[in-house]
Amino acid sequence: MLGGGGVTGVAWELGVLAGLAERGVDLAGADLVVGTSAGSVVGAQLTSGRPVAELYQAQLAGPGQEVARRLGGRTLAGMFWAVMRAPTPLAARQRLGRLAVAARTGSEDERKAIIASRLPSTGWPEQKLVITAVDTATGEPAFFDRDSGVPLADAVAASCAVPGVWPPVTINGRRWMDGGMRSAANADLADGYDRVVVIAPLTRGFGPMVGAAKQVAALAERSRVVLVAPDKQAKAAIGRNVLDPARRAPAARAGHAQSATVAAAVAEVWHVR
């Protein structure tokens, strides 16, 4: 289970995954990989067949011409107001959907092209990969996979479409936004699996939306589960703006370093005894 957290979340997660693989805990062959927002990028990369060490190394390059984006105060205030006034999670997502559609966030086609350029392959893997997104009109979630008939790059772009930052993505005549608007990690989708590893840059809920930590606690009643979240050093490396590509390399290195401290706990859950 791979959660959302911006460009720094992608980097930190790949750092953790690469470090774990070096220590004999390779999660790339999981029976189910669920990607949400930043985690959708990581999930698509991890299941592409490209070695995770190479994916990690790619995160260490400089930002190049990429420009930092930011969740501005006005956008954050709008999101807070929409969510905290909503009586149910569905109502909150509907309000966020209206915010997403109304915002001026640039070209949808350009954004999809950028996302596609970050994927080693634009075809769905044989492995079970699920990408989460939310319908801006109804607030209902979607769980795209290879049987959904949706191009992988479109599904990932939809899952990464943060309201007020990136444009919603049109799929089959409907507009979709960030899967993190349902849950930052959607860890509950692993219900029924015996062993679950959740790697989540963000663990707390927001208003009526359930956080990863609470979902993991529920899973622990039925499964062996471990939650990996940024430690103090990783949080410092990530910084306050998770959409700043200049923080990508520090976040990746921090994730790689943190893998040493979490490897035993992850191995305890992951390895069959």
Side-chain angles (χ1 to χ4, degrees):
M1 316 303 288
L2 302 166
V7 296
T8 55
V10 172
W12 174 79
E13 289 179 26
L14 285 170
V16 170
L17 288 164
L20 288 173
E22 290 173 12
R23 291 168 173 80
V25 189
D26 188 355
L27 303 181
D31 292 337
L32 170 71
V33 176
V34 176
T36 295
S37 198
S40 72
V41 177
V42 178
Q45 292 185 346
L46 186 66
T47 58
S48 69
R50 186 175 175 187
V52 68
E54 292 183 10
L55 298 172
Y56 166 63
Q57 287 297 322
Q59 296 298 309
L60 302 181
Q65 300 299 313
E66 289 184 71
V67 177
R69 300 295 292 265
R70 184 179 295 275
L71 273 168
R74 188 172 184 177
T75 299
L76 284 171
M79 293 176 70
F80 181 83
W81 184 252
V83 169
M84 301 309 292
R85 291 179 64 242
T88 65
L90 180 63
R93 295 193 295 267
Q94 290 170 344
R95 291 173 183 268
L96 289 167
R98 290 194 287 272
L99 183 154
V101 171
R104 297 181 178 179
T105 50
S107 166
E108 176 183 337
D109 287 340
E110 289 180 5
R111 178 61 179 163
K112 288 196 293 185
I114 289 171
I115 292 295
S117 72
R118 294 175 179 171
L119 305 183
S121 171
T122 55
W124 287 92
E126 293 293 330
Q127 192 173 351
K128 181 66 173 178
L129 171 66
V130 174
I131 303 297
T132 66
V134 171
D135 188 315
T136 58
T138 67
E140 294 289 348
F143 310 115
F144 297 121
D145 60 19
R146 62 175 297 141
D147 297 323
S148 64
V150 174
L152 176 60
D154 287 4
V156 173
S159 191
C160 293
V162 181
V165 177
W166 306 116
V169 173
T170 304
I171 298 174
N172 296 330
R174 301 163 70 181
R175 303 195 74 192
W176 300 89
M177 64 179 175
D178 197 312
M181 299 303 102
R182 176 183 184 268
S183 165
N186 290 290
D188 59 319
L189 299 184
D191 191 23
Y193 285 80
D194 294 332
R195 296 170 289 132
V196 182
V197 178
V198 181
I199 302 178
L202 305 173
T203 60
R204 294 183 179 180
F206 180 37
M209 293 184 286
V210 180
K214 189 171 182 178
Q215 290 178 335
V216 166
L219 283 172
E221 298 177 4
R222 299 174 295 278
S223 307
R224 296 168 63 189
V225 58
V226 60
L227 171 62
V228 180
D231 59 15
K232 183 178 180 180
Q233 291 73 24
K235 289 179 180 178
I238 289 169
R240 294 188 176 183
N241 182 11
V242 300
L243 301 177
D244 184 359
R247 306 304 303 171
R248 180 186 289 125
R253 293 190 181 96
H256 191 269
Q258 187 180 349
S259 68
T261 66
V262 302
V266 176
E268 181 67 24
V269 166
W270 196 246
H271 289 158
V272 178
R273 294 175 179 272

